[in-house]
Amino acid sequence: MTALPPIIADWFKTRGWALHPHQQDMLDRSAAPATLLIAPTGGGKTLAGFLPSLVELSEGGHAGLHTLYVSPLKALAADIKRNLTTPVQEMGLPIRIEDRTGDTGYTAKRRQRADPPHILLTTPESLALLTSYEDAPRIFAGLQRVIVDEIHALADSKRGDQLMLALSRLDQLAPGLRRVGLSATVDDPQAIAATLARHPDPCPVLQADPGPDPQIEMLVTETRPPWSGGGAQYAIGEVLEQVRAHRTTLIFHNTRAQAEIFFHRLWLENEDDLPIGIHHGSLSRDQRERVEAAMVAGELRAIVCTGSLDLGIDWGDVDLVIQVGAPKNVKRLVQRIGRANHRYNAPSKALLVPANRFEVVECVAALEAARDHDLDGDPRGPGPLDVLCQHILIRACAGPFDADQLFAEVRTVGAYAGLSRAAFDDCLSFCATGGYAFRAYDKWQRLKQTDGLWHLRDPRAAQRIRMNIGTIQDADLLKVRMRRGNRVLGEVEEGFAASLTPGDRFLIGGEVVRYEGLKELTVEVSRTPGREPKVAVFSGTKFATSTQLSARILRLLNQGSWPNLPGHTAEWLMLQGEVSQIPSADRLLIETFPHEGREHLCLYGFAGQNAHRTLGLILTQRMEAAGLSPLGFVVTDYALLIWGLEPVDDPAALLDPTDMRAGLDQWLQGNAVMKRSFRGVATIAGLIEKNIPGPKKTGRQATFSSDILYDTLAKYDPEHLLMRVTRDEALHGLVDFGRIEDMLARIAGIDHRRLSRVSPLAAPLFLEPGKVPIVGEGRERLMAAETERLMAEAGLSAL
Amino acid sequence: MTLRGGPGWAKSGAMSHHVLDLAGQTLHARADGSLFWPDQGLLCVSDLHLGKSERIARRGGGLFPPYETQETLARLDRAISENDPSCVICLGDSFDDLDAASGLAEDARLHLSRLQAGRDWIWIEGNHDPGPIDLGGTHLSELAIGELAFRHVATPAVPEISGHYHPKARVSGMVSARPCFLADKTRLILPAFGAYTGGLRVTDPVLATMMQADAIAVLTGQRALPVPMAALGTGRR
C-alpha cells in the first residue's frame, strides 16, 4: 500500500480525514497505463483522480506540464481549480494549477503556452486546439497523467471521440502517458474502459461504494394527469408543497419550452413567494451564473431546469429531485438523482411527475427499472469519420505528417481500433481535395504531399481550421435583447425567430415578452407583464424513450391487471382492452378508424419518437404512391398516427421489410432530417466553416445553405464520404432507422383492428403537438387554393 | 418537416408558370425561375454564378462539390428545350467572376455552345462579371426591347426587368424559403437561377421599398405560386 508523503498525510490528519478505500486504491495503481473509477457524487472522485499527481509533484523538481484534467464543462474546470488550489496552498506544495477554456483570456493563454503550469484544467475543444500548435511537442513533452472527468457524459458522443483522438496524439508527444477516467454509475463500465484506454491496453475498473439506493417515487396528485401534452401544470400545487417541505429542490424538464411554461405557472401560484429560479441552455450566461451562484449559496428553494444542470457545479444542499415528464432513459435519471444530497451515505430522493396519462405508465416502468438496477444503454458504433477528418486537419496545423504513422496512431483509439485503411484514406482524400469523384481541385487542394509527408498547401488555412475546432452542434442562435435597457435575456433558434411577427408574445427566462423586430442579428423584445404567452418557444427534445424502457413498458401493459398503476390509468387501459386490444411486444397493433372526415391509422411501434417520425415519413410516401392521399402525421414515443383521405385496408402491405429498406434508401435522398444530419457532419468534417474571419453572419445567411450541397452530392456524387457518413448516422440518431428494423424483426405478425371510432390508446395523439404535414398532391392543391384566396382577397386575381 | 409526393410527381408534364403583365406584355414566370416572353420567343435567366465553387476554392474558402456549373447548365438546358426560344438573355452575374468565365471546363463550354447554337444569345453585364466574355453571344450592359429594359441591377427607370438581388420568400407550411420573382405593374425582379446561390428575403427593406404595395412574389419550386408580397409579413416595422 502506497503511503502518502508526510506533508500531505499531515494535512489530512489535521482535518481528521482518512482516505476512502477507492482513493487508496487509485494511489496504489497510479503506475497503470489506464484506470477507470466509478464513484457516486460526493464520493471523493476528484481527489481520487488528483492525489497521485499531488504526490508526484510534492517533491518539486518537475518542470512544465505534469497533469492534464479534462471535463466537458468550462465551469467545472474553473470549479476544480478553486477546489484544488486551496488545499495545495495550505499544504504549501510547489504546484501551479491553471484552467484553460474558451473563457480564458488571450494573455493568459499565450503565457500558458510559453510556460505551462504543472496541472492544467481544460475541455476537449481547448485541448484539441492546443495540439494544433506547432509548439505542441514542447508544451506536452513532460506530461505524465491525463484525468478525464465525467467520462460517462463524453463517452457516447463525438466530443468524446475528439478527445480520445487528441489523447492518441499526446501519446506520441509524451510516451508513457497514464490515463484516468472518472465516471458516474453506468450500465456497461467495460465499454467506457475500452473507450478510455489506449487500444489494446487493459483498463481495470474500480468501483467505489455506491452508497444507498436512491428513493424514487411517483408524486401523488389530486388532479388526474391530462390526456396529452408535455407540461405538468396539473401538479403544481403538490410540487409547491414538496418545495416547502425541503431545503432545495431541482425540478427537471425534458425541454426548455416546458421549463419556461412551468416556471411561469409556478410563480402564478407561488403565494408564499418562495425564491425559485430558472436555468436552461438558452438563457444568457449571466443569468445562468446568477442562478448557479444563488443555488450554491443556498438562496434558492427551487430551480426549474433542464439537463443544463446535469453536469458540473456542485449541487450543494439539493435534497429533492423532481423529474417532470417521462424520463425516457433510466440511466440518465439515476445519474441525475445520484447527484442530489451528496452527503455520502444518505439516499437521494426523487419524485416522478408524469405529464400525461401515458407517461404514467412510462414513469412506473422507469421506477421499476431503477429499482432493479436495470440501466439502459445502446451499444455504440465505430468512431465517426467526420470527427476523424477534423482530427487530420488539426494534425496538419501542427506540422507535416506521415500517413502511415497517423493511421497507426488513430487505431490506438478504442472507437477507431477497427478503422480500415481505405476509410482512413477516404478521410485523408476528403481533407486534401474534397474527395470528389470529379477531381476538380488539384490546384487548390487543402493538403498536399511533399517528400512523402502531408502538409497544408497554404499555411494560412491553419487559422480557419483552428477557428472551427469542435463537434458541438449549436443551432443557429440569435440573441434576444430587451429594447429598452439593452438587457440580453438569452437566445432563440433562428428558425423560431424567422417565424415571428411583431406582436407575438413568447416566454423567455420566465418573462413574457413581446416580439418587436429583428435588428441585425438580434431579436428585439419589450415587456408585456401579465399577458399570456401565445407562442411556444424553442425546438423540442431529441431524446426518444430508450429501447429497454420501451420493452419494459410493453411488459407492464401486458400484465393483465395493473395494481401498480393509479386507478384512472388502469381504467383507461381496461377500456382499451375492451374496445380494441392492448399492444404486445411480439405482435404489431395497427388500428384504423374514421374521425372528423379523415381516415386514420394508428401504429403502436414503441420504438421511440425519432424512429416513429422516420416511419411516418416512409409510410406516408408509400401511401402517396398508392393513391391513399395522406395529409399528415404525429408521433409519440409509443405510437404513430397518420391521417389522410382514403382508408388503409391492408396496412401489412405497407410494412414489408424489404420494401421498407428500399423505400428508405430512396427516401433518404430528399428528406429534411438527413439534411440536418448532413449539415452537422459537413461542419465537423470541415466542408462548411461556421466561423470565418471577418464580420459575423449567421449560418443561414452567410453562404448558400448546406441543403443545396446535400442535393448536389445526392445527384452527382451519392457515394461521397460525407453522404456515407450521414447515412450511417441515420441508422441511429434522429432517423433511428435501426429501431424500425428491430421492431419489424421482433414482431411475429401484425394485428389490424378496424374500429368505428378513436380508441382510448390513440386518443392522446390527437392532442399531441408537432404535427408533420405531408406535401403531396393533396397538400399542393390545398396550397394552391390558399394562394388563390390570398390573391382574390387582395384583388389581384385578374393579374 | 414536409415530404414531397411520390416519384411520379416531379416529372409530370410541362413546367407550371404564372402569367404576368408588364407594360402590356405577357410574360411567363416559370416554376424553375426562368422567364419566358412568348411573343418574342425570348427566354431570360439571371444570376447563374457559374464557376462559383472554383472561385471559392481559389480564395481559400473551402472545397465545395464542383458540380454547380453542370447542374445550372442542365436546368438551363431543360428550360430551353421546353420553350425553344429564338433568343436567350442571361441577365448578369452569369459567372462568379471573369476568371471563372475564362476558366470554364471544356465540357461546360461545349454544353454552352450547344445551347447557343441556332439562337441569339445575350450576356448582360453584372457586378460579378463586368467585362466581355469569350464564350459566344453578344455582350451588353443593358438591352431594351420595345418599352422593356433588361439590366442587371434595378434602377428607377421603369418598365424594367432585372436580377441581382436573389429574392426568396416563404409561405407558412413551407420548410424553407424558395427563390421567387418579384413583380408589380412596372418592375420585375428575377430570382437567382444558379445552383449555388443564396438569397435575400423579400421582407428585407431593400426589396420592400423597391416594389409597389400591390406587388406579388411568384414562388419557384414544384409549381409557380403567386402570393401578394404584403401577405408575406415583415420582420421589421
Side-chain angles (χ1 to χ4, degrees):
Chain A
M1 190 162 99
T2 322
L4 289 173
I7 191 172
I8 299 180
D10 288 342
W11 186 82
F12 269 76
K13 217 181 295 177
T14 55
R15 272 177 166 51
W17 290 357
L19 287 185
H20 289 295
H22 61 270
Q23 288 167 336
Q24 182 66 56
D25 214 352
M26 289 284 278
L27 199 54
D28 296 338
R29 290 167 183 269
S30 63
T35 343
L36 178 65
L37 172 65
I38 313 243
T41 313
K45 227 189 314 181
T46 315
L47 187 61
F50 278 104
L51 206 46
S53 297
L54 298 183
V55 169
E56 286 169 34
L57 287 167
S58 61
E59 286 125 43
H62 182 96
L65 198 52
H66 177 283
T67 296
L68 197 60
Y69 165 94
V70 186
S71 90
L73 270 193
K74 295 186 271 195
L76 196 54
D79 217 37
I80 300 281
K81 174 180 165 195
R82 236 188 344 254
N83 295 340
L84 210 52
T85 310
T86 313
V88 161
Q89 277 174 357
E90 285 176 9
M91 288 187 249
L93 293 173
I95 304 176
R96 276 172 53 210
I97 305 169
E98 290 180 36
D99 64 341
R100 183 194 180 90
T101 68
D103 292 343
T104 309
Y106 176 71
T107 334
K109 277 186 174 160
R110 288 211 72 126
R111 199 190 14 83
Q112 280 169 358
R113 269 173 74 185
D115 180 21
H118 298 109
I119 300 180
L120 187 64
L121 315 165
T122 188
T123 60
E125 291 71 31
S126 291
L127 176 60
L129 184 56
L130 270 177
T131 64
S132 80
Y133 294 122
E134 292 94 341
D135 53 358
R138 183 185 53 76
I139 298 172
F140 293 105
L143 187 64
Q144 297 290 312
R145 301 179 77 230
V146 161
I147 304 169
V148 181
D149 201 357
E150 311 278 13
I151 190 174
H152 61 281
L154 287 170
D156 279 343
S157 71
K158 290 187 179 182
R159 284 187 87 194
D161 293 323
Q162 177 158 66
L163 174 60
M164 293 308 153
L165 284 167
L167 293 194
S168 75
R169 181 80 194 117
L170 293 185
D171 278 332
Q172 300 301 312
L173 305 178
L177 182 62
R178 293 164 281 153
R179 306 169 178 205
V180 163
L182 307 175
S183 172
T185 320
V186 290
D187 57 298
D188 188 359
Q190 289 308 326
I192 308 256
T195 311
L196 172 68
R198 179 173 198 260
H199 182 82
D201 288 347
C203 180
V205 178
L206 306 182
Q207 293 263 9
D209 182 353
D213 281 343
Q215 272 176 18
I216 315 176
E217 273 155 29
M218 303 275 289
L219 178 68
V220 174
T221 62
E222 210 184 300
T223 325
R224 298 175 176 205
W227 279 114
S228 77
Q233 283 76 274
Y234 74 96
I236 285 187
E238 284 88 354
V239 168
L240 279 171
E241 251 175 57
Q242 293 293 330
V243 172
R244 266 182 241 120
H246 290 86
R247 244 187 349 261
T248 312
T249 305
L250 292 185
I251 308 172
F252 279 92
H253 293 258
N254 286 336
T255 73
R256 286 166 281 179
Q258 286 161 14
E260 287 278 1
I261 294 170
F262 190 84
F263 181 71
H264 178 70
R265 298 270 173 82
L266 194 63
W267 268 99
L268 292 177
E269 289 188 36
N270 183 14
E271 285 154 1
D272 300 332
D273 255 337
L274 301 165
I276 301 178
I278 181 169
H279 188 290
H280 62 68
S282 284
L283 295 175
S284 67
R285 176 143 61 95
D286 229 24
Q287 205 151 351
R288 277 181 279 141
E289 282 175 0
R290 264 183 282 134
V291 170
E292 286 165 22
M295 183 170 124
V296 165
E299 290 163 14
L300 291 174
R301 294 296 295 280
I303 298 151
V304 175
C305 58
T306 62
S308 58
L309 271 187
D310 264 342
L311 282 184
I313 57 160
D314 196 327
W315 282 13
D317 283 322
V318 172
D319 54 347
L320 175 64
V321 169
I322 297 182
Q323 165 70 40
V324 172
K328 302 206 183 289
N329 183 300
V330 185
K331 177 169 64 177
R332 219 160 43 107
L333 175 68
V334 169
Q335 284 169 356
R336 185 175 278 181
I337 297 172
R339 302 197 50 132
N341 211 18
H342 63 71
R343 282 172 293 125
Y344 195 38
N345 278 306
S348 317
K349 275 174 70 179
L351 290 169
L352 305 183
V353 186
N356 61 56
R357 219 152 292 202
F358 189 82
E359 286 196 350
V360 172
V361 180
E362 189 170 334
C363 284
V364 170
L367 221 150
E368 296 182 351
R371 284 196 196 131
D372 294 347
H373 298 123
D374 182 15
L375 302 183
D376 34 30
D378 288 309
R380 239 192 131 213
L385 296 180
D386 51 348
V387 181
L388 180 57
C389 289
Q390 190 178 123
H391 179 70
I392 294 174
L393 290 173
I394 292 173
R395 177 63 189 85
C397 291
F401 64 88
D402 174 277
D404 295 338
Q405 254 174 38
L406 187 57
F407 177 58
E409 242 175 73
V410 165
R411 280 174 52 116
T412 65
V413 176
Y416 295 90
L419 181 73
S420 71
R421 185 57 197 252
F424 177 82
D425 286 340
D426 279 345
C427 292
L428 186 52
S429 167
F430 166 79
C431 292
T433 64
Y436 301 110
F438 166 50
R439 290 189 60 99
Y441 293 124
D442 289 356
K443 218 161 91 177
W444 311 114
Q445 54 192 113
R446 206 158 24 166
L447 300 179
K448 58 188 278 204
Q449 238 181 337
T450 307
D451 298 333
L453 294 182
W454 287 90
H455 61 97
L456 292 172
R457 176 186 60 82
D458 182 355
R460 288 170 301 178
Q463 184 202 18
R464 294 175 86 128
I465 293 169
R466 290 191 184 115
M467 283 178 81
N468 286 283
I469 288 180
T471 59
I472 300 175
Q473 289 305 292
D474 293 323
D476 289 309
L477 298 170
L478 299 179
K479 285 206 172 19
V480 178
R481 195 188 292 271
M482 199 65 92
R483 182 189 266 173
R484 278 202 213 100
N486 260 340
R487 180 162 57 104
V488 172
L489 295 170
E491 293 169 328
V492 290
E493 276 128 12
E494 195 177 342
F496 172 69
S499 71
L500 294 171
T501 49
D504 283 341
R505 296 186 290 276
F506 63 94
L507 272 172
I508 183 163
E511 293 186 57
V512 183
V513 296
R514 181 182 189 273
Y515 174 64
E516 298 295 343
L518 212 54
K519 187 169 170 187
E520 285 149 13
L521 295 180
T522 311
V523 174
E524 287 196 329
V525 298
S526 61
R527 307 192 79 193
T528 51
R531 306 287 301 279
E532 276 306 302
K534 281 203 310 190
V535 192
V537 82
F538 317 125
S539 58
T541 179
K542 310 288 189 292
F543 286 115
T545 306
S546 70
T547 313
Q548 286 90 329
L549 195 48
S550 299
R552 210 174 244 272
I553 292 171
L554 276 170
R555 283 202 298 276
L556 216 166
L557 290 175
N558 283 282
Q559 282 170 183
S561 68
W562 305 279
N564 49 346
L565 294 178
H568 52 70
T569 308
E571 277 165 32
W572 173 54
L573 293 178
M574 208 149 45
L575 192 58
Q576 169 71 16
E578 285 167 24
V579 164
S580 169
Q581 69 191 59
I582 302 281
S584 64
D586 59 342
R587 299 192 64 81
L588 182 63
L589 173 63
I590 300 181
E591 295 168 346
T592 55
F593 48 83
H595 181 71
E596 291 189 356
R598 300 270 187 257
E599 292 292 336
H600 290 76
L601 181 150
C602 193
L603 184 153
Y604 297 92
F606 286 86
Q609 56 166 314
N610 295 324
H612 288 162
R613 203 171 289 118
T614 300
L615 188 57
L617 291 167
I618 297 178
L619 282 184
T620 51
Q621 184 178 48
R622 291 164 68 73
M623 286 169 70
E624 178 80 16
L628 294 168
S629 297
L631 288 170
F633 69 87
V634 75
V635 301
T636 61
D637 282 305
Y638 70 96
L640 159 66
L641 179 69
I642 305 174
W643 55 90
L645 298 177
E646 304 298 325
V648 180
D649 295 319
D650 186 10
L654 291 174
L655 282 163
D656 177 273
T658 337
D659 287 350
M660 293 276 289
R661 241 311 174 163
L664 175 77
D665 286 335
Q666 184 191 31
W667 164 78
L668 279 182
Q669 289 240 339
N671 90 89
V673 174
M674 285 290 286
K675 291 186 186 186
R676 214 184 321 160
S677 280
F678 174 80
R679 189 158 171 211
V681 166
T683 308
I684 292 173
L687 176 64
I688 302 171
E689 286 171 339
K690 260 210 115 177
N691 302 313
I692 48 176
K696 184 175 181 205
K697 297 180 183 176
T698 65
R700 269 188 180 212
Q701 292 159 8
T703 59
F704 45 90
S705 86
S706 66
D707 287 359
I708 297 180
L709 297 179
Y710 179 90
D711 288 336
T712 309
L713 283 175
K715 187 167 174 185
Y716 292 97
D717 213 337
E719 291 307 306
H720 186 263
L721 175 70
L722 298 189
M723 298 296 280
R724 282 184 279 138
V725 173
T726 305
R727 272 202 295 277
D728 285 343
E729 254 184 44
L731 283 186
H732 309 283
L734 283 175
V735 175
D736 222 358
F737 190 70
R739 273 184 89 168
I740 300 177
E741 294 195 309
D742 289 344
M743 176 194 79
L744 292 174
R746 129 174 87 91
I747 57 174
I750 296 177
D751 289 339
H752 176 202
R753 289 274 185 153
R754 176 80 201 156
L755 307 171
S756 57
R757 40 187 299 207
V758 184
S759 72
L761 214 53
L765 282 128
F766 282 87
L767 300 168
E768 193 67 29
K771 297 179 173 55
V772 178
I774 296 302
V775 180
E777 186 56 44
R779 182 74 54 180
E780 282 288 328
R781 277 205 298 264
L782 291 179
M783 264 176 72
E786 173 67 9
T787 51
E788 249 175 65
R789 182 187 69 78
L790 288 170
M791 292 290 281
E793 257 179 37
L796 294 170
S797 9
L799 245 169
Chain B
M1 274 185 285
T2 56
L3 174 74
R4 301 247 145 256
W9 227 97
K11 301 192 179 87
S12 62
M15 180 157 309
S16 90
H17 61 261
H18 177 72
V19 177
L20 296 171
D21 182 305
L22 194 67
Q25 301 300 319
T26 301
L27 305 173
H28 292 180
R30 291 160 43 83
D32 65 352
S34 63
L35 182 76
F36 187 60
W37 189 351
D39 285 351
Q40 295 282 328
L42 187 148
L43 184 76
C44 182
V45 291
S46 187
D47 297 278
L48 270 53
H49 284 275
L50 299 176
K52 187 156 188 172
S53 61
E54 199 266 340
R55 177 163 172 256
I56 292 175
R58 202 189 321 135
R59 296 170 64 171
L63 305 174
F64 291 118
Y67 307 108
E68 84 287 3
T69 299
Q70 202 175 338
E71 171 68 14
T72 306
L73 289 178
R75 293 182 194 174
L76 187 53
D77 196 319
R78 184 176 169 198
I80 288 176
S81 47
E82 277 178 15
N83 295 286
D84 197 20
S86 52
C87 176
V88 173
I89 299 179
C90 294
L91 205 52
D93 282 2
S94 308
F95 297 90
D96 212 47
D97 66 4
L98 292 173
D99 283 341
S102 51
L104 206 61
E106 195 50 36
D107 45 355
R109 265 176 197 274
L110 289 173
H111 196 174
L112 207 44
S113 306
R114 283 201 306 276
L115 296 177
Q116 289 172 324
R119 45 183 65 95
D120 291 333
W121 195 278
I122 307 208
W123 302 102
I124 300 286
E125 285 183 356
N127 46 301
H128 278 254
D129 53 355
I133 306 162
D134 182 22
L135 285 166
T138 315
H139 302 84
L140 300 169
S141 58
E142 58 177 65
L143 171 68
I145 300 181
E147 264 194 302
L148 287 182
F150 287 81
R151 54 177 72 96
H152 180 63
V153 187
T155 66
V158 287
E160 176 193 73
I161 298 176
S162 62
H164 179 70
Y165 289 101
H166 305 202
K168 63 180 187 180
R170 181 162 83 177
V171 177
S172 73
M174 287 168 61
V175 179
S176 52
R178 301 185 197 175
C180 65
F181 297 82
L182 289 179
D184 61 28
K185 294 196 182 55
T186 55
R187 167 171 286 121
L188 176 60
I189 300 182
L190 263 54
F193 191 80
Y196 278 5
T197 50
L200 189 66
R201 285 281 169 80
V202 299
T203 51
D204 188 290
V206 169
L207 290 174
T209 49
M210 201 178 295
M211 309 299 295
Q212 287 164 15
D214 61 353
I216 61 168
V218 182
L219 302 170
T220 59
Q222 296 283 17
R223 297 172 185 224
L225 289 178
V227 186
M229 206 166 147
L232 291 168
T234 48
R236 301 192 190 216
R237 286 159 304 295

